[in-house]
Amino acid sequence: MNRFSYARPTDVAEAVREVGSDPSARFIAGGTNLIDLMKYNVERPTRLVDITRLPLTTIDKADGGGLRIGALVPNSDLAYDDQVQARYPLLSDAILAGASPQLRNMASTGGNLLQRTRCLYFYDTATPCNKREPGSGCSAIDGVNRIHAILGTSSKCIATHPSDMCVGLAALNAKVHVAGPSGERVIAMADFHRLPGDQPERDTNLGPQELIVAVELPDEDFSKNYSYLKLRDRLSYAFALVSVAAALKIDGGKIAEARMALGGVAHKPWRDTTAEDMLRGKPAEEASFKPVADHILRDARGFGHNDFKIDLARRAIVRALSQAAAGTPQTQTDKRIK
């Protein structure tokens, strides 16, 4: 057991101060990822700041008409919330596609955003990993890389971001509210996570002492034509090989607006707004979707074991958009099969 001290603040300002007092301190809520990392000696914080007593547990109407989700709202509560299911069913489906009920009961909204990669080399402290130890090398590039990224990679890292919820949030144009020593600020979901570049050890654009306090969903209606498609090695409790969050607004058989994000293919939820623009004004049919899939994957690159992901992603994009256009999301298809 690695020694660490423990604090349990009761307000956001105190929590920020507690983390600021120790460079190796970490916030902890449900602990569904951090505790595993500590067990594997990947993370060795000298101080844990327990934020579970902070008043960040509600889902409220935002000033602009959307929803403001507290950072400590459990994933299960968020997925089954009446407002979320009615107005943002894409997000509900994305959350329910991830983990197990037990983990969703413990995992928090803010913690989900901060999940670290499930790259096997990242978890294996006996192997080089630039994310874990900058400058040591990336074992996955020439190693077993079946689950790894095909978009946005660098010579330093080809890891993927593991969250399903974040893919839904990216497609829905969510915003992340954070608090730190300099006050509060808002980060667009598209800018929250980072590509590896030359600093793969940095997963997000959060400052070292900043705390997620809420996630805001805009007042937009994509509740009819949407789908969250997750392709994985087994039906439950598995991370995505490829996932697609697709949402459309259709008027007279043509696409008025499109939103799309991919998971399992990059170091962050992958969103290509130029591909979304390509769909505007096009018929809501498969012939319109195939060029978009080709465009999104134009720079995709496999590393041997994961070459199959490129064609898998291409087919997944077309399928998810087809489901969204037909108003038959993947969850409803699953229920009919059962």
mmCIF file of all heavy atoms in Angstrom, residues 8-39:
data_model
loop_
_atom_site.group_PDB
_atom_site.id
_atom_site.type_symbol
_atom_site.label_atom_id
_atom_site.label_comp_id
_atom_site.label_asym_id
_atom_site.label_seq_id
_atom_site.Cartn_x
_atom_site.Cartn_y
_atom_site.Cartn_z
ATOM 1 N N ARG A 8 -11.458 15.741 3.095
ATOM 2 C CA ARG A 8 -12.836 15.721 2.605
ATOM 3 C C ARG A 8 -13.435 17.127 2.738
ATOM 4 O O ARG A 8 -14.108 17.453 3.713
ATOM 5 C CB ARG A 8 -13.670 14.706 3.382
ATOM 6 C CG ARG A 8 -15.109 14.604 2.880
ATOM 7 C CD ARG A 8 -15.885 13.544 3.647
ATOM 8 N NE ARG A 8 -15.686 12.221 3.068
ATOM 9 C CZ ARG A 8 -16.283 11.131 3.542
ATOM 10 N NH1 ARG A 8 -17.056 11.208 4.603
ATOM 11 N NH2 ARG A 8 -16.076 9.971 2.959
ATOM 12 N N PRO A 9 -13.194 18.002 1.761
ATOM 13 C CA PRO A 9 -13.717 19.371 1.816
ATOM 14 C C PRO A 9 -15.232 19.398 1.633
ATOM 15 O O PRO A 9 -15.833 18.450 1.130
ATOM 16 C CB PRO A 9 -13.005 20.064 0.656
ATOM 17 C CG PRO A 9 -12.695 18.948 -0.294
ATOM 18 C CD PRO A 9 -12.415 17.745 0.544
ATOM 19 N N THR A 10 -15.820 20.523 2.005
ATOM 20 C CA THR A 10 -17.277 20.667 1.910
ATOM 21 C C THR A 10 -17.710 21.742 0.919
ATOM 22 O O THR A 10 -18.901 21.947 0.730
ATOM 23 C CB THR A 10 -17.878 20.976 3.288
ATOM 24 O OG1 THR A 10 -17.247 22.147 3.826
ATOM 25 C CG2 THR A 10 -17.670 19.804 4.239
ATOM 26 N N ASP A 11 -16.765 22.451 0.318
ATOM 27 C CA ASP A 11 -17.122 23.394 -0.742
ATOM 28 C C ASP A 11 -16.035 23.407 -1.802
ATOM 29 O O ASP A 11 -14.918 22.921 -1.587
ATOM 30 C CB ASP A 11 -17.384 24.808 -0.197
ATOM 31 C CG ASP A 11 -16.158 25.438 0.444
ATOM 32 O OD1 ASP A 11 -15.126 25.593 -0.236
ATOM 33 O OD2 ASP A 11 -16.235 25.779 1.643
ATOM 34 N N VAL A 12 -16.381 23.936 -2.973
ATOM 35 C CA VAL A 12 -15.490 23.878 -4.135
ATOM 36 C C VAL A 12 -14.190 24.624 -3.879
ATOM 37 O O VAL A 12 -13.102 24.124 -4.202
ATOM 38 C CB VAL A 12 -16.201 24.437 -5.384
ATOM 39 C CG1 VAL A 12 -15.225 24.593 -6.547
ATOM 40 C CG2 VAL A 12 -17.363 23.530 -5.792
ATOM 41 N N ALA A 13 -14.271 25.796 -3.284
ATOM 42 C CA ALA A 13 -13.067 26.587 -3.040
ATOM 43 C C ALA A 13 -12.090 25.836 -2.140
ATOM 44 O O ALA A 13 -10.869 25.839 -2.374
ATOM 45 C CB ALA A 13 -13.443 27.932 -2.422
ATOM 46 N N GLU A 14 -12.613 25.183 -1.118
ATOM 47 C CA GLU A 14 -11.761 24.415 -0.213
ATOM 48 C C GLU A 14 -11.121 23.231 -0.945
ATOM 49 O O GLU A 14 -9.948 22.922 -0.736
ATOM 50 C CB GLU A 14 -12.585 23.917 0.975
ATOM 51 C CG GLU A 14 -11.765 23.154 2.011
ATOM 52 C CD GLU A 14 -12.621 22.562 3.122
ATOM 53 O OE1 GLU A 14 -13.853 22.784 3.122
ATOM 54 O OE2 GLU A 14 -12.052 21.847 3.978
ATOM 55 N N ALA A 15 -11.884 22.583 -1.821
ATOM 56 C CA ALA A 15 -11.347 21.453 -2.579
ATOM 57 C C ALA A 15 -10.191 21.890 -3.469
ATOM 58 O O ALA A 15 -9.164 21.205 -3.555
ATOM 59 C CB ALA A 15 -12.457 20.829 -3.421
ATOM 60 N N VAL A 16 -10.353 23.032 -4.110
ATOM 61 C CA VAL A 16 -9.288 23.558 -4.976
ATOM 62 C C VAL A 16 -8.047 23.883 -4.153
ATOM 63 O O VAL A 16 -6.918 23.597 -4.567
ATOM 64 C CB VAL A 16 -9.789 24.796 -5.740
ATOM 65 C CG1 VAL A 16 -8.636 25.496 -6.464
ATOM 66 C CG2 VAL A 16 -10.879 24.402 -6.743
ATOM 67 N N ARG A 17 -8.254 24.459 -2.973
ATOM 68 C CA ARG A 17 -7.103 24.770 -2.111
ATOM 69 C C ARG A 17 -6.392 23.503 -1.652
ATOM 70 O O ARG A 17 -5.159 23.448 -1.592
ATOM 71 C CB ARG A 17 -7.560 25.575 -0.895
ATOM 72 C CG ARG A 17 -7.946 27.012 -1.193
ATOM 73 C CD ARG A 17 -8.024 27.835 0.080
ATOM 74 N NE ARG A 17 -9.021 27.313 1.016
ATOM 75 C CZ ARG A 17 -10.309 27.678 1.016
ATOM 76 N NH1 ARG A 17 -10.734 28.565 0.120
ATOM 77 N NH2 ARG A 17 -11.140 27.170 1.898
ATOM 78 N N GLU A 18 -7.152 22.466 -1.331
ATOM 79 C CA GLU A 18 -6.558 21.218 -0.861
ATOM 80 C C GLU A 18 -5.660 20.600 -1.928
ATOM 81 O O GLU A 18 -4.564 20.118 -1.632
ATOM 82 C CB GLU A 18 -7.659 20.223 -0.472
ATOM 83 C CG GLU A 18 -8.397 20.559 0.813
ATOM 84 C CD GLU A 18 -7.580 20.247 2.054
ATOM 85 O OE1 GLU A 18 -6.458 19.714 1.932
ATOM 86 O OE2 GLU A 18 -8.063 20.551 3.164
ATOM 87 N N VAL A 19 -6.113 20.594 -3.167
ATOM 88 C CA VAL A 19 -5.298 20.041 -4.246
ATOM 89 C C VAL A 19 -4.097 20.930 -4.510
ATOM 90 O O VAL A 19 -2.993 20.443 -4.799
ATOM 91 C CB VAL A 19 -6.142 19.854 -5.525
ATOM 92 C CG1 VAL A 19 -5.260 19.668 -6.747
ATOM 93 C CG2 VAL A 19 -7.049 18.640 -5.380
ATOM 94 N N GLY A 20 -4.274 22.227 -4.395
ATOM 95 C CA GLY A 20 -3.185 23.153 -4.637
ATOM 96 C C GLY A 20 -2.059 23.054 -3.631
ATOM 97 O O GLY A 20 -0.934 23.481 -3.901
ATOM 98 N N SER A 21 -2.345 22.463 -2.472
ATOM 99 C CA SER A 21 -1.331 22.369 -1.420
ATOM 100 C C SER A 21 -0.332 21.247 -1.666
ATOM 101 O O SER A 21 0.675 21.140 -0.971
ATOM 102 C CB SER A 21 -2.006 22.151 -0.059
ATOM 103 O OG SER A 21 -2.641 20.877 -0.013
ATOM 104 N N ASP A 22 -0.604 20.380 -2.669
ATOM 105 C CA ASP A 22 0.268 19.232 -2.910
ATOM 106 C C ASP A 22 0.258 18.912 -4.407
ATOM 107 O O ASP A 22 -0.773 18.533 -4.950
ATOM 108 C CB ASP A 22 -0.227 18.021 -2.109
ATOM 109 C CG ASP A 22 0.695 16.820 -2.237
ATOM 110 O OD1 ASP A 22 1.529 16.781 -3.159
ATOM 111 O OD2 ASP A 22 0.576 15.902 -1.396
ATOM 112 N N PRO A 23 1.389 19.051 -5.097
ATOM 113 C CA PRO A 23 1.428 18.792 -6.546
ATOM 114 C C PRO A 23 1.019 17.373 -6.927
ATOM 115 O O PRO A 23 0.622 17.132 -8.064
ATOM 116 C CB PRO A 23 2.895 19.052 -6.907
ATOM 117 C CG PRO A 23 3.428 19.915 -5.818
ATOM 118 C CD PRO A 23 2.695 19.516 -4.579
ATOM 119 N N SER A 24 1.118 16.431 -6.017
ATOM 120 C CA SER A 24 0.769 15.045 -6.311
ATOM 121 C C SER A 24 -0.627 14.674 -5.818
ATOM 122 O O SER A 24 -0.994 13.495 -5.833
ATOM 123 C CB SER A 24 1.792 14.089 -5.676
ATOM 124 O OG SER A 24 3.069 14.292 -6.226
ATOM 125 N N ALA A 25 -1.402 15.653 -5.391
ATOM 126 C CA ALA A 25 -2.753 15.379 -4.902
ATOM 127 C C ALA A 25 -3.687 15.101 -6.074
ATOM 128 O O ALA A 25 -3.474 15.575 -7.190
ATOM 129 C CB ALA A 25 -3.262 16.562 -4.091
ATOM 130 N N ARG A 26 -4.744 14.328 -5.812
ATOM 131 C CA ARG A 26 -5.752 14.014 -6.821
ATOM 132 C C ARG A 26 -7.144 14.124 -6.201
ATOM 133 O O ARG A 26 -7.356 13.747 -5.048
ATOM 134 C CB ARG A 26 -5.571 12.589 -7.362
ATOM 135 C CG ARG A 26 -4.284 12.345 -8.125
ATOM 136 C CD ARG A 26 -4.269 13.046 -9.471
ATOM 137 N NE ARG A 26 -3.081 12.700 -10.233
ATOM 138 C CZ ARG A 26 -1.920 13.334 -10.133
ATOM 139 N NH1 ARG A 26 -1.796 14.369 -9.287
ATOM 140 N NH2 ARG A 26 -0.886 12.954 -10.856
ATOM 141 N N PHE A 27 -8.086 14.637 -7.000
ATOM 142 C CA PHE A 27 -9.486 14.586 -6.600
ATOM 143 C C PHE A 27 -9.982 13.147 -6.736
ATOM 144 O O PHE A 27 -9.574 12.421 -7.645
ATOM 145 C CB PHE A 27 -10.343 15.486 -7.496
ATOM 146 C CG PHE A 27 -10.062 16.951 -7.347
ATOM 147 C CD1 PHE A 27 -9.592 17.696 -8.431
ATOM 148 C CD2 PHE A 27 -10.288 17.605 -6.150
ATOM 149 C CE1 PHE A 27 -9.353 19.057 -8.315
ATOM 150 C CE2 PHE A 27 -10.043 18.966 -6.011
ATOM 151 C CZ PHE A 27 -9.572 19.690 -7.094
ATOM 152 N N ILE A 28 -10.894 12.748 -5.856
ATOM 153 C CA ILE A 28 -11.506 11.440 -5.986
ATOM 154 C C ILE A 28 -12.993 11.553 -5.666
ATOM 155 O O ILE A 28 -13.397 12.246 -4.735
ATOM 156 C CB ILE A 28 -10.835 10.392 -5.056
ATOM 157 C CG1 ILE A 28 -11.404 9.003 -5.334
ATOM 158 C CG2 ILE A 28 -10.965 10.764 -3.582
ATOM 159 C CD1 ILE A 28 -10.620 7.879 -4.686
ATOM 160 N N ALA A 29 -13.811 10.892 -6.480
ATOM 161 C CA ALA A 29 -15.260 10.824 -6.238
ATOM 162 C C ALA A 29 -15.625 9.352 -6.140
ATOM 163 O O ALA A 29 -15.389 8.706 -5.127
ATOM 164 C CB ALA A 29 -16.027 11.539 -7.342
ATOM 165 N N GLY A 30 -16.165 8.767 -7.226
ATOM 166 C CA GLY A 30 -16.488 7.347 -7.202
ATOM 167 C C GLY A 30 -15.260 6.450 -7.182
ATOM 168 O O GLY A 30 -15.299 5.330 -6.670
ATOM 169 N N GLY A 31 -14.164 6.932 -7.755
ATOM 170 C CA GLY A 31 -12.907 6.188 -7.732
ATOM 171 C C GLY A 31 -12.860 4.995 -8.656
ATOM 172 O O GLY A 31 -11.953 4.162 -8.544
ATOM 173 N N THR A 32 -13.800 4.886 -9.599
ATOM 174 C CA THR A 32 -13.877 3.679 -10.421
ATOM 175 C C THR A 32 -12.692 3.523 -11.369
ATOM 176 O O THR A 32 -12.435 2.420 -11.843
ATOM 177 C CB THR A 32 -15.183 3.669 -11.244
ATOM 178 O OG1 THR A 32 -15.267 4.864 -12.024
ATOM 179 C CG2 THR A 32 -16.396 3.584 -10.332
ATOM 180 N N ASN A 33 -11.969 4.584 -11.646
ATOM 181 C CA ASN A 33 -10.760 4.501 -12.467
ATOM 182 C C ASN A 33 -9.509 4.740 -11.632
ATOM 183 O O ASN A 33 -8.531 3.997 -11.722
ATOM 184 C CB ASN A 33 -10.849 5.498 -13.612
ATOM 185 C CG ASN A 33 -9.722 5.355 -14.635
ATOM 186 O OD1 ASN A 33 -9.421 6.290 -15.364
ATOM 187 N ND2 ASN A 33 -9.089 4.198 -14.719
ATOM 188 N N LEU A 34 -9.533 5.764 -10.785
ATOM 189 C CA LEU A 34 -8.350 6.127 -10.017
ATOM 190 C C LEU A 34 -7.887 5.003 -9.097
ATOM 191 O O LEU A 34 -6.679 4.742 -8.978
ATOM 192 C CB LEU A 34 -8.621 7.401 -9.203
ATOM 193 C CG LEU A 34 -7.466 7.894 -8.334
ATOM 194 C CD1 LEU A 34 -6.230 8.181 -9.179
ATOM 195 C CD2 LEU A 34 -7.876 9.140 -7.547
ATOM 196 N N ILE A 35 -8.806 4.313 -8.436
ATOM 197 C CA ILE A 35 -8.403 3.241 -7.523
ATOM 198 C C ILE A 35 -7.683 2.129 -8.282
ATOM 199 O O ILE A 35 -6.672 1.589 -7.812
ATOM 200 C CB ILE A 35 -9.626 2.682 -6.768
ATOM 201 C CG1 ILE A 35 -10.260 3.768 -5.894
ATOM 202 C CG2 ILE A 35 -9.231 1.490 -5.922
ATOM 203 C CD1 ILE A 35 -9.326 4.354 -4.854
ATOM 204 N N ASP A 36 -8.187 1.790 -9.470
ATOM 205 C CA ASP A 36 -7.486 0.794 -10.289
ATOM 206 C C ASP A 36 -6.075 1.259 -10.631
ATOM 207 O O ASP A 36 -5.107 0.488 -10.554
ATOM 208 C CB ASP A 36 -8.256 0.530 -11.590
ATOM 209 C CG ASP A 36 -9.446 -0.383 -11.386
ATOM 210 O OD1 ASP A 36 -9.518 -1.040 -10.332
ATOM 211 O OD2 ASP A 36 -10.310 -0.436 -12.276
ATOM 212 N N LEU A 37 -5.950 2.519 -11.013
ATOM 213 C CA LEU A 37 -4.634 3.050 -11.373
ATOM 214 C C LEU A 37 -3.684 3.032 -10.182
ATOM 215 O O LEU A 37 -2.482 2.775 -10.337
ATOM 216 C CB LEU A 37 -4.783 4.474 -11.911
ATOM 217 C CG LEU A 37 -5.522 4.599 -13.249
ATOM 218 C CD1 LEU A 37 -5.826 6.059 -13.563
ATOM 219 C CD2 LEU A 37 -4.705 3.974 -14.378
ATOM 220 N N MET A 38 -4.205 3.281 -8.995
ATOM 221 C CA MET A 38 -3.379 3.213 -7.793
ATOM 222 C C MET A 38 -2.953 1.776 -7.498
ATOM 223 O O MET A 38 -1.818 1.508 -7.110
ATOM 224 C CB MET A 38 -4.131 3.808 -6.609
ATOM 225 C CG MET A 38 -4.338 5.314 -6.712
ATOM 226 S SD MET A 38 -5.433 5.987 -5.441
ATOM 227 C CE MET A 38 -4.471 5.691 -3.949
ATOM 228 N N LYS A 39 -3.862 0.830 -7.702
ATOM 229 C CA LYS A 39 -3.522 -0.579 -7.463
ATOM 230 C C LYS A 39 -2.418 -1.051 -8.393
ATOM 231 O O LYS A 39 -1.581 -1.880 -8.024
ATOM 232 C CB LYS A 39 -4.767 -1.448 -7.648
ATOM 233 C CG LYS A 39 -5.810 -1.312 -6.550
ATOM 234 C CD LYS A 39 -7.021 -2.172 -6.853
ATOM 235 C CE LYS A 39 -8.071 -2.068 -5.753
ATOM 236 N NZ LYS A 39 -9.282 -2.882 -6.083
#
